[in-house]
Each structure stands twice: as C-alpha cells, then as structure tokens.
Amino acid sequence: MALTDRSLWPWRLERRVQPSTAMRLASSPLAAVAMLITGFIALSALGTNPLAAFKVFFVEPVSSVYGVGELLLKATPLMLCALGLAPGYGANVWNIGAEGQFTLGAITGGGLGLYCSSAMGHWSLPAMCVAGVLGGMAWAAIPAYLRLRFRTSEIFVSLMLVYIAQLLLSYLVHGPWRDPAGQNFPQSPPFADNAVFAPLFEGARVNIGFIVGLGLAGLSWWFGAVTAAGFRMRVGGLAPAAAAYAGISERRNVWLAMLIGGGAAGLAGVFEVAGPIGMLQPIISPGYGFAAIIVAFVGRLHPVGIVFASLLMSALYLGGESAQVELQLPSSVTGLFKGTLLFFLLAAELFINFRLRSSAVRA
C-alpha cells in the first residue's frame, strides 16, 4: 500500500482563516497537561510511583514558608530573563545568550560590590544593580553590532558568548578575585553586609528581586501595549516587509531588543550573586538563561503569562532537587519535564493557525 494512501492517515491539516484565540489561550495549559502525562509514563517506566513522585515534585517543596520562599527565589531570575527576551522574540530578534549576559551582570555588579561597597555605603546595592544592567547590555551589544554590521546570526554569536562569559568568571574566581581566606576554594571574598540583599520575610531567602520582577512585568506590558517603540517591534516581527515599507528601522529594533534582553539578564545576575550566593563562584546559575527561553514561550511572550510560567519552571527546579534526594531519581528527570514542556508547547502552537480535518469531509 502506498504511503500516500489516505487510509493510513485519514486526516489533513487545514489552515484557519484567522488564528484561533481559544487555542492561543489553551496551548500553554495543554502543554503542561501533556508534560504531566509524559512524566507519569516515564516515572512508571523507572519503577517509581508516579503519584508519590508528583507529590515530591510539586507539593512537598512548597509545604513550608522556606519552600515558598525558594519557589519565589528561583522564579526571580527566570522571570527577569524571560521578560527581557520576550520583546526581542516578538520582533524576530533571537537572543539565545541570556545565560552569558546573566553571568556578565554578576561579574560587573559583583566586582563593584567587592571593591567599592565600603566607599558607597547605602548606595552600594543600587550601584551594583546599575553595573549589572550595563554589563549585560554590553555583552548583548556584541551580537547586535555583528548582526547589523556583518549580517551574522545573533543566535550563534550570543550562544558562543555564553561560554566566553563563563570562562571569564572562572578565570576571575580562580585568579585575581580569589579569596585568600577561602581555604583554596575558587570563590571571591564574601560581599559586605551593605552589598547583600536582605530576605523579604523571616525564614526564607527570597529578596526584593522578586518584587522588582513583578514591577518589570508591569513595565513590560506598558512598553508593549502603549509605547510606539513596542508597536514598532511587534510590527517588525509580524510583518517585516510592511515594517520596512512603513519606514520602521530594523536597526533600532535589533538594538532595542538586544539591549533590553541583556540588561534584564544582567540585573538577574546581580540579584543572584548579591542574594542567596553572597559571593562570586565558578557556577552561579543552573541554566536560568536557557530555561528562560522556555518560560518566555510558555508565557506566550506576555508579561502576565511569563510570571506564571516562571513559577511553574521554578517548581520543576525545586521538584527535581527534592526528587533526587527523596526518590533517588536522576537529575535528568528535571530536564525531561522541561524538554517535554517546550516540545508540547511547540506542537500546540501548530493548531493556532491550523486545524485537523478529515480527508473524507473534503471528498
């Protein structure tokens, strides 16, 4: 029987007249449900009780004040990075290097805190935040310039810069910034008290970075919905030819998208090293910059969706750590959840513009 025989697959994809609003709203919840079903099957195959594992993953980590604080703490860098990436993705500017910009922000902000905090007094933390934003923006400016000057791919350039940033951090904490009293560990001296963010509430480690993230979500909504710059970026992403005809500058969109993404990631880096870590060390992120790409798309590139998606991704991080300790599951289980979430989200995206129709109906 021929592979093209309709009896093998009696369905066909038909383009919708207009994108489906219902599917646009339902795609993320459907992807989350499909992720849980896949996780149920995978955990069963590993010989683990799926219901008990889901309790360890999603309930036990937030069953205490400390656990809720950890949920919000891990959601903070995910939220900040994703909010920075979303405007660029809507404008077809693909910054994949938020992890490197996160690291540069930590280096510039953390370096200022290490060597200038005593002179700046109460202004130490605001100055560190500004330095982190500028560091992330400077790192993001490299792929922006190369795209506009030499038409290079910002995807590859920003991704390769991640590894350069990580090697730079490793060099600093193994070399000139190494703590002489650190018992030979590769880390910087601890930050002074005025260069560390205090917890928001007793018994938790979450700091004001989460509040700043919520504020930036509101600012991001205002930028996209009200400002002319946000409108130009949306038009540039949805209809590049129409944008060029209308005189909308691709150059301005690229610079704006990359600098917003780099600045937000750099700020997230400062909140991480001046918050729960309290120093610079070779590894300061478990991959927040890469996970933020998933967060941005699960949140439909909308600020409100990104806030909830960051909480979901944070729960996966916490659940993975808890499962490793209590159930002796491999760390790759967390990667399974994250990967299948993105996979099913991309699959659900198809049905925003297409629908399944029976071939018999057409006949």
Side-chain angles (χ1 to χ4, degrees), residues 74-115:
K74 290 186 179 295
T76 299
L78 294 168
M79 186 193 313
L80 289 171
C81 291
L83 287 170
L85 295 175
Y89 291 168
N92 282 335
V93 181
W94 302 100
N95 178 8
I96 308 297
E99 184 79 1
Q101 295 141 27
F102 179 98
T103 303
L104 252 291
I107 290 173
T108 53
L112 189 69
L114 280 174
Y115 295 103

mmCIF file of all heavy atoms in Angstrom, residues 74-115:
data_model
loop_
_atom_site.group_PDB
_atom_site.id
_atom_site.type_symbol
_atom_site.label_atom_id
_atom_site.label_comp_id
_atom_site.label_asym_id
_atom_site.label_seq_id
_atom_site.Cartn_x
_atom_site.Cartn_y
_atom_site.Cartn_z
ATOM 1 N N LYS A 74 13.793 31.158 43.042
ATOM 2 C CA LYS A 74 14.213 30.595 41.763
ATOM 3 C C LYS A 74 13.398 31.165 40.605
ATOM 4 O O LYS A 74 13.870 31.187 39.461
ATOM 5 C CB LYS A 74 14.102 29.064 41.796
ATOM 6 C CG LYS A 74 15.128 28.408 42.703
ATOM 7 C CD LYS A 74 15.072 26.898 42.594
ATOM 8 C CE LYS A 74 16.120 26.249 43.497
ATOM 9 N NZ LYS A 74 17.492 26.578 43.081
ATOM 10 N N ALA A 75 12.186 31.615 40.890
ATOM 11 C CA ALA A 75 11.373 32.216 39.825
ATOM 12 C C ALA A 75 11.903 33.585 39.422
ATOM 13 O O ALA A 75 11.668 34.018 38.288
ATOM 14 C CB ALA A 75 9.918 32.337 40.287
ATOM 15 N N THR A 76 12.631 34.261 40.322
ATOM 16 C CA THR A 76 13.073 35.627 40.052
ATOM 17 C C THR A 76 13.985 35.729 38.832
ATOM 18 O O THR A 76 13.695 36.497 37.907
ATOM 19 C CB THR A 76 13.759 36.217 41.298
ATOM 20 O OG1 THR A 76 12.821 36.254 42.379
ATOM 21 C CG2 THR A 76 14.258 37.631 41.023
ATOM 22 N N PRO A 77 15.117 35.000 38.761
ATOM 23 C CA PRO A 77 15.961 35.127 37.567
ATOM 24 C C PRO A 77 15.279 34.631 36.307
ATOM 25 O O PRO A 77 15.508 35.170 35.218
ATOM 26 C CB PRO A 77 17.202 34.286 37.909
ATOM 27 C CG PRO A 77 16.758 33.351 38.972
ATOM 28 C CD PRO A 77 15.718 34.075 39.748
ATOM 29 N N LEU A 78 14.439 33.609 36.427
ATOM 30 C CA LEU A 78 13.705 33.126 35.256
ATOM 31 C C LEU A 78 12.774 34.199 34.728
ATOM 32 O O LEU A 78 12.692 34.442 33.514
ATOM 33 C CB LEU A 78 12.904 31.873 35.629
ATOM 34 C CG LEU A 78 13.714 30.632 36.010
ATOM 35 C CD1 LEU A 78 12.813 29.576 36.638
ATOM 36 C CD2 LEU A 78 14.412 30.042 34.788
ATOM 37 N N MET A 79 12.078 34.868 35.639
ATOM 38 C CA MET A 79 11.147 35.918 35.251
ATOM 39 C C MET A 79 11.866 37.091 34.614
ATOM 40 O O MET A 79 11.467 37.593 33.545
ATOM 41 C CB MET A 79 10.367 36.385 36.488
ATOM 42 C CG MET A 79 9.253 37.383 36.198
ATOM 43 S SD MET A 79 8.620 38.171 37.707
ATOM 44 C CE MET A 79 8.387 36.766 38.785
ATOM 45 N N LEU A 80 12.948 37.549 35.243
ATOM 46 C CA LEU A 80 13.674 38.709 34.726
ATOM 47 C C LEU A 80 14.254 38.425 33.341
ATOM 48 O O LEU A 80 14.128 39.238 32.422
ATOM 49 C CB LEU A 80 14.781 39.098 35.697
ATOM 50 C CG LEU A 80 14.335 39.735 37.014
ATOM 51 C CD1 LEU A 80 15.513 39.858 37.981
ATOM 52 C CD2 LEU A 80 13.722 41.101 36.767
ATOM 53 N N CYS A 81 14.890 37.271 33.184
ATOM 54 C CA CYS A 81 15.484 36.940 31.886
ATOM 55 C C CYS A 81 14.418 36.789 30.813
ATOM 56 O O CYS A 81 14.578 37.284 29.686
ATOM 57 C CB CYS A 81 16.305 35.652 31.991
ATOM 58 S SG CYS A 81 17.812 35.796 32.979
ATOM 59 N N ALA A 82 13.311 36.114 31.132
ATOM 60 C CA ALA A 82 12.260 35.901 30.142
ATOM 61 C C ALA A 82 11.590 37.210 29.752
ATOM 62 O O ALA A 82 11.256 37.424 28.578
ATOM 63 C CB ALA A 82 11.223 34.916 30.680
ATOM 64 N N LEU A 83 11.374 38.106 30.715
ATOM 65 C CA LEU A 83 10.785 39.408 30.395
ATOM 66 C C LEU A 83 11.689 40.199 29.466
ATOM 67 O O LEU A 83 11.199 40.949 28.606
ATOM 68 C CB LEU A 83 10.536 40.200 31.685
ATOM 69 C CG LEU A 83 9.371 39.725 32.558
ATOM 70 C CD1 LEU A 83 9.393 40.435 33.906
ATOM 71 C CD2 LEU A 83 8.036 39.949 31.864
ATOM 72 N N GLY A 84 12.992 40.049 29.616
ATOM 73 C CA GLY A 84 13.919 40.738 28.726
ATOM 74 C C GLY A 84 13.956 40.132 27.335
ATOM 75 O O GLY A 84 14.116 40.847 26.343
ATOM 76 N N LEU A 85 13.787 38.815 27.237
ATOM 77 C CA LEU A 85 13.862 38.146 25.945
ATOM 78 C C LEU A 85 12.586 38.321 25.122
ATOM 79 O O LEU A 85 12.641 38.349 23.887
ATOM 80 C CB LEU A 85 14.128 36.656 26.147
ATOM 81 C CG LEU A 85 15.465 36.260 26.764
ATOM 82 C CD1 LEU A 85 15.506 34.754 27.013
ATOM 83 C CD2 LEU A 85 16.615 36.673 25.871
ATOM 84 N N ALA A 86 11.440 38.410 25.790
ATOM 85 C CA ALA A 86 10.156 38.369 25.092
ATOM 86 C C ALA A 86 9.991 39.464 24.030
ATOM 87 O O ALA A 86 9.545 39.159 22.915
ATOM 88 C CB ALA A 86 9.014 38.424 26.109
ATOM 89 N N PRO A 87 10.307 40.743 24.298
ATOM 90 C CA PRO A 87 10.128 41.749 23.241
ATOM 91 C C PRO A 87 10.960 41.456 22.000
ATOM 92 O O PRO A 87 10.496 41.661 20.871
ATOM 93 C CB PRO A 87 10.572 43.053 23.916
ATOM 94 C CG PRO A 87 10.439 42.806 25.368
ATOM 95 C CD PRO A 87 10.752 41.362 25.558
ATOM 96 N N GLY A 88 12.173 40.950 22.186
ATOM 97 C CA GLY A 88 13.013 40.622 21.048
ATOM 98 C C GLY A 88 12.452 39.464 20.240
ATOM 99 O O GLY A 88 12.452 39.494 19.001
ATOM 100 N N TYR A 89 11.950 38.432 20.912
ATOM 101 C CA TYR A 89 11.384 37.305 20.187
ATOM 102 C C TYR A 89 10.157 37.730 19.392
ATOM 103 O O TYR A 89 9.918 37.233 18.288
ATOM 104 C CB TYR A 89 11.014 36.176 21.159
ATOM 105 C CG TYR A 89 12.209 35.501 21.790
ATOM 106 C CD1 TYR A 89 12.067 34.629 22.860
ATOM 107 C CD2 TYR A 89 13.508 35.737 21.318
ATOM 108 C CE1 TYR A 89 13.157 34.002 23.436
ATOM 109 C CE2 TYR A 89 14.602 35.121 21.894
ATOM 110 C CZ TYR A 89 14.420 34.252 22.956
ATOM 111 O OH TYR A 89 15.508 33.638 23.518
ATOM 112 N N GLY A 90 9.374 38.650 19.954
ATOM 113 C CA GLY A 90 8.233 39.163 19.214
ATOM 114 C C GLY A 90 8.644 39.958 17.997
ATOM 115 O O GLY A 90 7.862 40.107 17.049
ATOM 116 N N ALA A 91 9.872 40.476 17.985
ATOM 117 C CA ALA A 91 10.382 41.266 16.858
ATOM 118 C C ALA A 91 11.311 40.454 15.963
ATOM 119 O O ALA A 91 12.007 41.020 15.124
ATOM 120 C CB ALA A 91 11.118 42.503 17.386
ATOM 121 N N ASN A 92 11.348 39.125 16.149
ATOM 122 C CA ASN A 92 12.234 38.240 15.370
ATOM 123 C C ASN A 92 13.709 38.564 15.589
ATOM 124 O O ASN A 92 14.519 38.462 14.670
ATOM 125 C CB ASN A 92 11.903 38.304 13.875
ATOM 126 C CG ASN A 92 10.674 37.497 13.519
ATOM 127 O OD1 ASN A 92 10.319 36.552 14.227
ATOM 128 N ND2 ASN A 92 10.006 37.880 12.448
ATOM 129 N N VAL A 93 14.057 38.934 16.793
ATOM 130 C CA VAL A 93 15.454 39.111 17.190
ATOM 131 C C VAL A 93 15.726 38.028 18.236
ATOM 132 O O VAL A 93 15.201 38.088 19.343
ATOM 133 C CB VAL A 93 15.719 40.511 17.765
ATOM 134 C CG1 VAL A 93 17.192 40.660 18.150
ATOM 135 C CG2 VAL A 93 15.325 41.579 16.757
ATOM 136 N N TRP A 94 16.570 37.066 17.884
ATOM 137 C CA TRP A 94 16.664 35.835 18.669
ATOM 138 C C TRP A 94 17.913 35.829 19.544
ATOM 139 O O TRP A 94 18.950 35.295 19.185
ATOM 140 C CB TRP A 94 16.627 34.620 17.737
ATOM 141 C CG TRP A 94 15.378 34.621 16.927
ATOM 142 C CD1 TRP A 94 15.223 35.026 15.636
ATOM 143 C CD2 TRP A 94 14.074 34.248 17.386
ATOM 144 N NE1 TRP A 94 13.906 34.921 15.256
ATOM 145 C CE2 TRP A 94 13.180 34.440 16.304
ATOM 146 C CE3 TRP A 94 13.578 33.765 18.599
ATOM 147 C CZ2 TRP A 94 11.824 34.178 16.400
ATOM 148 C CZ3 TRP A 94 12.225 33.490 18.687
ATOM 149 C CH2 TRP A 94 11.364 33.695 17.608
ATOM 150 N N ASN A 95 17.770 36.421 20.695
ATOM 151 C CA ASN A 95 18.833 36.444 21.695
ATOM 152 C C ASN A 95 18.794 35.132 22.478
ATOM 153 O O ASN A 95 17.900 34.905 23.289
ATOM 154 C CB ASN A 95 18.628 37.642 22.619
ATOM 155 C CG ASN A 95 19.658 37.712 23.726
ATOM 156 O OD1 ASN A 95 20.625 36.962 23.745
ATOM 157 N ND2 ASN A 95 19.464 38.620 24.664
ATOM 158 N N ILE A 96 19.775 34.264 22.236
ATOM 159 C CA ILE A 96 19.843 32.974 22.932
ATOM 160 C C ILE A 96 20.882 33.028 24.063
ATOM 161 O O ILE A 96 21.097 32.047 24.760
ATOM 162 C CB ILE A 96 20.195 31.851 21.926
ATOM 163 C CG1 ILE A 96 19.241 31.898 20.741
ATOM 164 C CG2 ILE A 96 20.099 30.468 22.545
ATOM 165 C CD1 ILE A 96 17.791 31.647 21.101
ATOM 166 N N GLY A 97 21.522 34.162 24.236
ATOM 167 C CA GLY A 97 22.650 34.246 25.160
ATOM 168 C C GLY A 97 22.358 34.892 26.489
ATOM 169 O O GLY A 97 23.257 35.481 27.105
ATOM 170 N N ALA A 98 21.116 34.787 26.982
ATOM 171 C CA ALA A 98 20.804 35.395 28.278
ATOM 172 C C ALA A 98 21.662 34.818 29.402
ATOM 173 O O ALA A 98 21.973 35.513 30.371
ATOM 174 C CB ALA A 98 19.325 35.216 28.604
ATOM 175 N N GLU A 99 22.073 33.558 29.262
ATOM 176 C CA GLU A 99 22.926 32.953 30.295
ATOM 177 C C GLU A 99 24.256 33.683 30.392
ATOM 178 O O GLU A 99 24.768 33.920 31.491
ATOM 179 C CB GLU A 99 23.146 31.476 29.966
ATOM 180 C CG GLU A 99 23.935 30.700 31.002
ATOM 181 C CD GLU A 99 23.098 30.287 32.203
ATOM 182 O OE1 GLU A 99 21.893 30.596 32.220
ATOM 183 O OE2 GLU A 99 23.658 29.662 33.115
ATOM 184 N N GLY A 100 24.838 34.053 29.263
ATOM 185 C CA GLY A 100 26.090 34.802 29.291
ATOM 186 C C GLY A 100 25.900 36.218 29.796
ATOM 187 O O GLY A 100 26.743 36.751 30.540
ATOM 188 N N GLN A 101 24.806 36.862 29.417
ATOM 189 C CA GLN A 101 24.523 38.217 29.900
ATOM 190 C C GLN A 101 24.227 38.202 31.397
ATOM 191 O O GLN A 101 24.588 39.143 32.119
ATOM 192 C CB GLN A 101 23.353 38.789 29.097
ATOM 193 C CG GLN A 101 23.705 38.979 27.620
ATOM 194 C CD GLN A 101 22.573 38.638 26.670
ATOM 195 O OE1 GLN A 101 21.392 38.732 27.017
ATOM 196 N NE2 GLN A 101 22.925 38.234 25.444
ATOM 197 N N PHE A 102 23.591 37.152 31.878
ATOM 198 C CA PHE A 102 23.390 36.933 33.308
ATOM 199 C C PHE A 102 24.745 36.873 34.026
ATOM 200 O O PHE A 102 24.946 37.515 35.074
ATOM 201 C CB PHE A 102 22.618 35.623 33.483
ATOM 202 C CG PHE A 102 22.335 35.193 34.892
ATOM 203 C CD1 PHE A 102 21.105 35.451 35.473
ATOM 204 C CD2 PHE A 102 23.282 34.498 35.633
ATOM 205 C CE1 PHE A 102 20.833 35.043 36.770
ATOM 206 C CE2 PHE A 102 23.021 34.082 36.924
ATOM 207 C CZ PHE A 102 21.784 34.359 37.492
ATOM 208 N N THR A 103 25.678 36.128 33.446
ATOM 209 C CA THR A 103 27.000 35.975 34.055
ATOM 210 C C THR A 103 27.770 37.290 34.057
ATOM 211 O O THR A 103 28.426 37.640 35.044
ATOM 212 C CB THR A 103 27.798 34.889 33.311
ATOM 213 O OG1 THR A 103 27.061 33.658 33.330
ATOM 214 C CG2 THR A 103 29.156 34.672 33.941
ATOM 215 N N LEU A 104 27.701 38.037 32.932
ATOM 216 C CA LEU A 104 28.407 39.326 32.888
ATOM 217 C C LEU A 104 27.820 40.315 33.869
ATOM 218 O O LEU A 104 28.543 41.109 34.498
ATOM 219 C CB LEU A 104 28.374 39.885 31.469
ATOM 220 C CG LEU A 104 29.710 39.845 30.732
ATOM 221 C CD1 LEU A 104 30.707 40.831 31.340
ATOM 222 C CD2 LEU A 104 30.292 38.446 30.746
ATOM 223 N N GLY A 105 26.503 40.304 34.027
ATOM 224 C CA GLY A 105 25.889 41.167 35.027
ATOM 225 C C GLY A 105 26.364 40.832 36.430
ATOM 226 O O GLY A 105 26.623 41.726 37.246
ATOM 227 N N ALA A 106 26.488 39.523 36.701
ATOM 228 C CA ALA A 106 27.002 39.106 38.006
ATOM 229 C C ALA A 106 28.439 39.554 38.199
ATOM 230 O O ALA A 106 28.833 39.970 39.299
ATOM 231 C CB ALA A 106 26.885 37.588 38.138
ATOM 232 N N ILE A 107 29.250 39.498 37.136
ATOM 233 C CA ILE A 107 30.654 39.893 37.243
ATOM 234 C C ILE A 107 30.775 41.398 37.482
ATOM 235 O O ILE A 107 31.502 41.834 38.387
ATOM 236 C CB ILE A 107 31.419 39.479 35.966
ATOM 237 C CG1 ILE A 107 31.558 37.956 35.897
ATOM 238 C CG2 ILE A 107 32.804 40.134 35.933
ATOM 239 C CD1 ILE A 107 32.146 37.463 34.593
ATOM 240 N N THR A 108 30.084 42.195 36.674
ATOM 241 C CA THR A 108 30.227 43.649 36.811
ATOM 242 C C THR A 108 29.609 44.153 38.112
ATOM 243 O O THR A 108 30.221 44.944 38.834
ATOM 244 C CB THR A 108 29.586 44.358 35.608
ATOM 245 O OG1 THR A 108 28.235 43.893 35.441
ATOM 246 C CG2 THR A 108 30.370 44.079 34.345
ATOM 247 N N GLY A 109 28.406 43.672 38.417
ATOM 248 C CA GLY A 109 27.784 44.096 39.673
ATOM 249 C C GLY A 109 28.511 43.558 40.883
ATOM 250 O O GLY A 109 28.737 44.270 41.866
ATOM 251 N N GLY A 110 28.906 42.272 40.807
ATOM 252 C CA GLY A 110 29.628 41.675 41.931
ATOM 253 C C GLY A 110 30.996 42.289 42.131
ATOM 254 O O GLY A 110 31.444 42.485 43.268
ATOM 255 N N GLY A 111 31.699 42.607 41.027
ATOM 256 C CA GLY A 111 33.007 43.256 41.162
ATOM 257 C C GLY A 111 32.907 44.609 41.827
ATOM 258 O O GLY A 111 33.755 44.973 42.657
ATOM 259 N N LEU A 112 31.853 45.363 41.485
ATOM 260 C CA LEU A 112 31.651 46.656 42.137
ATOM 261 C C LEU A 112 31.385 46.472 43.624
ATOM 262 O O LEU A 112 31.893 47.226 44.463
ATOM 263 C CB LEU A 112 30.483 47.387 41.468
ATOM 264 C CG LEU A 112 30.272 48.840 41.869
ATOM 265 C CD1 LEU A 112 31.414 49.715 41.349
ATOM 266 C CD2 LEU A 112 28.940 49.355 41.336
ATOM 267 N N GLY A 113 30.594 45.446 43.962
ATOM 268 C CA GLY A 113 30.316 45.189 45.367
ATOM 269 C C GLY A 113 31.547 44.752 46.139
ATOM 270 O O GLY A 113 31.707 45.078 47.326
ATOM 271 N N LEU A 114 32.437 44.014 45.478
ATOM 272 C CA LEU A 114 33.640 43.533 46.154
ATOM 273 C C LEU A 114 34.599 44.662 46.517
ATOM 274 O O LEU A 114 35.168 44.687 47.621
ATOM 275 C CB LEU A 114 34.371 42.520 45.261
ATOM 276 C CG LEU A 114 33.843 41.096 45.232
ATOM 277 C CD1 LEU A 114 34.593 40.278 44.195
ATOM 278 C CD2 LEU A 114 33.961 40.440 46.603
ATOM 279 N N TYR A 115 34.773 45.605 45.586
ATOM 280 C CA TYR A 115 35.860 46.573 45.738
ATOM 281 C C TYR A 115 35.398 47.996 46.038
ATOM 282 O O TYR A 115 36.232 48.833 46.371
ATOM 283 C CB TYR A 115 36.718 46.573 44.468
ATOM 284 C CG TYR A 115 37.412 45.252 44.255
ATOM 285 C CD1 TYR A 115 36.948 44.344 43.307
ATOM 286 C CD2 TYR A 115 38.507 44.885 45.027
ATOM 287 C CE1 TYR A 115 37.577 43.122 43.123
ATOM 288 C CE2 TYR A 115 39.131 43.664 44.854
ATOM 289 C CZ TYR A 115 38.673 42.788 43.908
ATOM 290 O OH TYR A 115 39.291 41.571 43.742
#
